[in-house]
Amino acid sequence: MRLWLFIPTATTNQDAIARDKSIESLAHKAGAKFLSFKDHVIFEAPEVLKQDGTPFKVFTPFKRAWLSKLNESGQEVETVTPDFQNFVKADPAAFPTLAEMGFEAFSGDIPSQKPSAAIIGNYDKTRDFPAQNGTTKLGIHLRFGTVSIREMVALARKMNDTWLNELIWREFYSYIMQHFPHVTDRAFNKKYDKIPWLNSESDFDKWCNGLTGYPIVDAGMRELNATGYMHNRVRMITASFLTKHLLIDWRWGESYFASKLLDYELASNNGGWQWAAGTGTDAQPWFRIFNPYAQAEKFDPNNEYIKKWVPEYDSPSYPKPMVDHKKARERALATFKSVLA
């Protein structure tokens, strides 16, 4: 009997890609045919390139090329319903338990894998306000493959361009990691590996536990610690605070998020952290420093989100700000300028 081994292709982590190649080699040695299929993204790295055949490094031109390729056929994104009748049926083999694979039990709520038409329809208006139920929370399902990226893109094209834009960002970060695997543990822009991070362990501990004295930052960290989730706008604020206000290596924060986020995905987490730190693909990276006070005033004007996660924020028991925003901003700018010089 001819055996067929179907594997969804790994598209980011180099260890996962090496694993797939190892399985392919094992299948060939056993006389089985190995078939791999793209499943995690719409387009893999070689499918979207500049005219000179080199990879894009900036999101906007990548997005234009990505959309152009998507529209080439003039058809909707293809979705497929598999027919399992032709698969070989066999008794289940011994399989490691979730605990043996390193997973831990989680007692919190898992977001629905059914997209909300109301949320997607209003996504461009509600996505930045953490007190509102304005995001799909489908990241966990995209991460584990319990929803189809093809179905989500088809839905986004019909309902909301802003949500489609976010799905393209996810594709972009996977694309960057495929073409530039060094970003897994180093700066995309390698000169930023020379940043003299302060890396204070006590400062990092305060940030992890939501005790910085900046309410919007602390609310985000406490939400993460309690639920395994953090609103995307607040992810940017907390990441900017760690890397710019505290001058702590983005890899520390990336690793902490990886240990807590239910929707953790290597490429997206890495890309988001390098964006916030100013070490990534952004054309205007290092001098973007979020003002946590201004961010809270704009996106949580009634302190609803803050009050939910930091109920003591306006009481004497709430800690004073661990750094002064103006001084921390000036210090960050001077530090990054020293690297550029």
Side-chain angles (χ1 to χ4, degrees):
M1 178 184 292
R2 184 70 168 172
L3 296 178
W4 299 70
L5 186 60
F6 296 84
I7 298 289
T9 305
T11 57
T12 53
N13 190 304
Q14 297 304 300
D15 290 337
I17 294 173
R19 175 205 61 207
D20 289 355
K21 290 186 180 299
S22 175
I23 294 174
E24 180 178 13
S25 175
L26 184 66
H28 288 164
K29 289 179 180 178
K33 187 171 183 178
F34 180 91
L35 300 174
S36 64
F37 296 89
K38 172 183 61 182
D39 189 57
H40 188 68
V41 292
I42 300 297
F43 299 122
E44 291 182 300
E47 296 182 89
V48 183
L49 297 170
K50 292 190 286 187
Q51 290 186 348
D52 64 2
T54 61
F56 290 97
K57 297 181 180 180
V58 179
F59 174 73
T60 301
F62 168 83
K63 175 185 172 181
R64 286 196 293 264
W66 190 95
L67 287 170
S68 176
K69 187 168 184 63
L70 189 69
N71 294 328
E72 279 177 3
S73 64
Q75 299 176 353
E76 293 296 329
V77 178
E78 182 182 4
T79 59
V80 178
T81 301
D83 181 2
F84 294 105
Q85 294 303 312
N86 295 325
F87 279 53
V88 173
K89 297 178 176 62
D91 293 330
F95 199 78
T97 66
L98 291 175
E100 288 171 341
M101 289 188 287
F103 287 90
E104 298 178 6
F106 177 72
S107 59
D109 295 328
I110 301 298
S112 171
Q113 66 189 92
K114 184 178 180 180
S116 165
I119 289 176
I120 294 174
N122 292 294
Y123 184 80
D124 54 312
K125 304 177 185 66
T126 60
R127 69 186 183 116
D128 279 318
F129 299 91
Q132 298 183 29
N133 183 26
T135 61
T136 67
K137 296 183 176 68
L138 287 170
I140 184 173
H141 296 293
L142 287 168
R143 188 263 180 259
F144 285 102
T146 48
V147 297
S148 164
I149 183 58
R150 294 171 295 282
E151 291 181 357
M152 296 304 104
V153 167
L155 188 63
R157 294 179 78 192
K158 294 176 182 177
M159 298 188 65
N160 198 296
D161 287 342
T162 302
W163 190 48
L164 175 61
N165 192 67
E166 293 303 298
L167 295 177
I168 300 173
W169 269 108
R170 175 180 175 272
E171 297 259 323
F172 178 62
Y173 284 143
S174 176
Y175 174 92
I176 289 296
M177 188 161 281
Q178 290 173 65
H179 279 292
F180 307 99
H182 73 271
V183 301
T184 302
D185 54 14
R186 287 180 286 145
F188 171 81
N189 192 332
K190 295 180 181 179
K191 63 185 175 185
Y192 291 114
D193 283 329
K194 298 179 181 179
I195 294 172
W197 303 107
L198 296 181
N199 287 347
S200 164
E201 292 187 10
S202 61
D203 286 356
F204 181 67
D205 187 62
K206 290 178 182 178
W207 177 83
C208 289
N209 290 289
L211 297 172
T212 69
Y214 282 82
I216 190 72
V217 174
D218 293 340
M221 297 309 297
R222 295 186 193 187
E223 179 188 27
L224 174 65
N225 292 333
T227 69
Y229 172 81
M230 189 194 297
H231 187 276
N232 187 61
R233 166 60 56 175
V234 188
R235 295 187 197 199
M236 293 189 287
I237 297 170
T238 56
S240 176
F241 185 85
L242 183 75
T243 57
K244 301 294 178 62
H245 284 68
L246 301 182
L247 281 179
I248 289 178
D249 194 325
W250 59 271
R251 286 163 289 202
W252 288 31
E254 182 198 37
S255 179
Y256 189 78
F257 270 29
S259 72
K260 295 291 184 178
L261 284 171
L262 294 175
D263 62 10
Y264 165 69
E265 194 170 55
L266 175 60
S268 296
N269 192 49
N270 181 282
W273 271 95
Q274 295 222 40
W275 183 91
T279 62
T281 61
D282 200 332
Q284 297 181 332
W286 61 275
F287 50 81
R288 182 200 298 110
I289 301 174
F290 282 3
N291 181 333
Y293 298 125
Q295 291 286 312
E297 184 177 350
K298 184 175 182 179
F299 298 113
D300 191 31
N302 297 317
N303 294 325
E304 294 175 68
Y305 177 74
I306 289 172
K307 288 177 181 177
K308 178 178 180 179
W309 295 107
V310 192
E312 81 282 11
Y313 87 99
D314 57 354
S315 73
S317 63
Y318 185 62
K320 300 293 182 184
M322 59 188 297
V323 290
D324 176 78
H325 167 67
K326 182 179 179 181
K327 291 180 180 178
R329 181 179 183 278
E330 292 172 350
R331 181 177 66 180
L333 291 174
T335 300
F336 275 75
K337 284 180 180 177
S338 70
V339 172
L340 293 174

